[in-house]
Amino acid sequence: MILRKNIIYSFFSILFLSKGVSDINVVSYGWEVFERNSDSRTLALAQSSIAYPIQNPGTVLLNPALSFNYNNMIGLTHQSRMSGTSNSEFIGFDKYISDSSWVSVIIIYEGVDGIPDTRGALLDWGLDGIFGTFDPGEGNGSIDEGERLDIDKIRFFNQNIFGLYGAHSKIFNNWRIGFGLKIILHTIDKEFGIGAGLDFGAFRNYNNTDIGLVVKNLPSSGLIWESGNIEISPPSLHFGLHQKFIISKYKLEINPMLRGSILSLDRSIDSELVLGEIPMEFSAGFEAILKNKLFFRIGMFQRGTFASGIGFSWNDLSVDYAFLSDGSLNGIEKNHLLSVSISIERLKKYFSNENQEVK
């Protein structure tokens, strides 16, 4: 209890001290690492599984209230984007904190290598490309016709983001209420920032229809940079529906789902304006499960990105594949994902046998 109080006091002390010597900016970025990264099953469903009660790390990241069944599996996902320039890792598992209570834990890493820094490399000599003639364009700070960059003055740096997410839920008045604590460490070249935020979610089944509600960044998520600047991300509201249909004759299960999001500052050009003012985005997913072993998935994001995937499941091992495509000519968002989930007990037996053989 004393340690918990010290952590809280330290956090608010840093916040108030930083407030006195720094700027506080309300921004729409900073926490995308928790939105972009997930496992293959969740992304193949276009992240619309906010009310889909499955034992999946990516689903818990969408709605912390869905952490209601202990999953004795550890899931690993690798994703590569932009021709390998951006790479991310996603790890999810459950950890007991008592005999009947646990926390769903997610570890995220995202890195972008080789980002060019052209500051100081511009030969800002104007349209004639000759220094000192003071012709139009000379010294204006932008590349004009006839100007170029000095390759020897271009340097490269990396960006790295480490994210930790923990989710826990309890039953309250027929609703399962959950909260998710997220912590982020963001480094850009030699600068770094650290932040924390909270998500709150709710889930219940009503007349065979699953309902999910989530408020992210409540009251707001903050990121404190080494310079003392604070970036605050405002909250957003998300809701989802899911309905399960079973065809017993063919041992087939069908799961359509829908997600809607009411955004604040982080709306995009694809967002819908409800009543002319409220920015909203929608996504939909569909999963068919054959004999509880074979999975087929499709999904559609608001921006038109098409998602699809397939999965195989055994008692202590599952493999999921997803493909994302925005349909554009540049193909910048086309990427493949592969997730592997394996039983923790199976891993323990494997390493135990390995140790015995070494001895």
Side-chain angles (χ1 to χ4, degrees), residues 150-341:
D150 186 350
I151 297 178
D152 294 332
K153 293 183 179 179
I154 299 176
R155 70 183 189 90
F156 297 86
F157 65 95
N158 301 331
Q159 174 183 257
N160 297 283
I161 304 175
F162 300 88
L164 177 65
Y165 189 87
H168 183 67
S169 65
K170 291 287 187 179
I171 291 291
F172 182 77
N173 287 344
N174 296 322
W175 285 84
R176 179 161 288 268
I177 308 298
F179 72 92
L181 171 64
K182 48 189 178 183
I183 300 173
I184 189 173
L185 174 63
H186 193 168
T187 67
I188 302 178
D189 197 16
K190 297 179 181 179
E191 302 292 327
F192 73 89
I194 187 170
L198 285 173
D199 297 339
F200 291 90
F203 169 84
R204 73 167 295 179
N205 180 277
Y206 184 77
N207 290 338
N208 295 323
T209 298
D210 294 321
I211 303 171
L213 297 172
V214 178
V215 181
K216 294 189 175 183
N217 303 321
L218 187 69
S220 63
S221 294
L223 184 64
I224 305 176
W225 285 94
E226 182 183 13
S227 61
N229 291 332
I230 300 176
E231 296 174 345
I232 295 178
S233 298
S236 58
L237 176 63
H238 309 263
F239 58 90
L241 298 172
H242 162 257
Q243 184 72 55
K244 179 169 66 175
F245 302 94
I246 297 178
I247 304 176
S248 301
K249 180 179 179 180
Y250 301 102
K251 296 183 179 180
L252 179 66
E253 180 181 318
I254 299 175
N255 296 278
M257 63 203 73
L258 176 69
R259 171 186 176 179
S261 301
I262 301 176
L263 308 174
S264 49
L265 296 180
D266 53 349
R267 66 184 185 184
S268 68
I269 193 172
D270 298 310
S271 301
E272 298 286 343
L273 290 180
V274 179
L275 301 177
E277 296 181 357
I278 304 174
M280 294 190 65
E281 292 188 357
F282 296 91
S283 62
F286 175 88
E287 181 175 62
I289 306 175
L290 181 61
K291 296 182 179 180
N292 207 32
K293 299 293 183 182
L294 183 60
F295 300 75
F296 299 94
R297 309 177 183 112
I298 57 174
M300 182 67 70
F301 290 91
Q302 174 77 31
R303 60 184 182 271
T305 301
F306 177 76
S308 61
I310 190 172
F312 303 90
S313 178
W314 296 273
N315 292 332
D316 54 4
L317 178 67
S318 64
V319 179
D320 296 288
Y321 165 80
F323 174 70
L324 305 181
S325 173
D326 65 354
S328 64
L329 296 177
N330 58 23
I332 192 171
E333 287 294 334
K334 292 183 179 180
N335 58 90
H336 306 264
L337 294 94
L338 183 66
S339 297
V340 178
S341 296

Side-chain angles (χ1 to χ4, degrees), residues 45-91:
L45 295 171
Q47 294 181 307
S48 59
S49 53
I50 196 171
Y52 188 18
I54 54 177
Q55 293 180 322
N56 213 50
T59 303
V60 173
L61 188 60
L62 291 177
N63 186 351
L66 294 180
S67 174
F68 57 78
N69 286 320
Y70 181 82
N71 188 4
N72 193 35
M73 306 277 283
I74 180 170
L76 309 173
T77 303
H78 172 75
Q79 183 176 181
S80 180
R81 296 188 297 270
M82 301 175 65
S83 301
T85 303
S86 174
N87 293 281
S88 62
E89 311 297 334
F90 183 93
I91 303 174

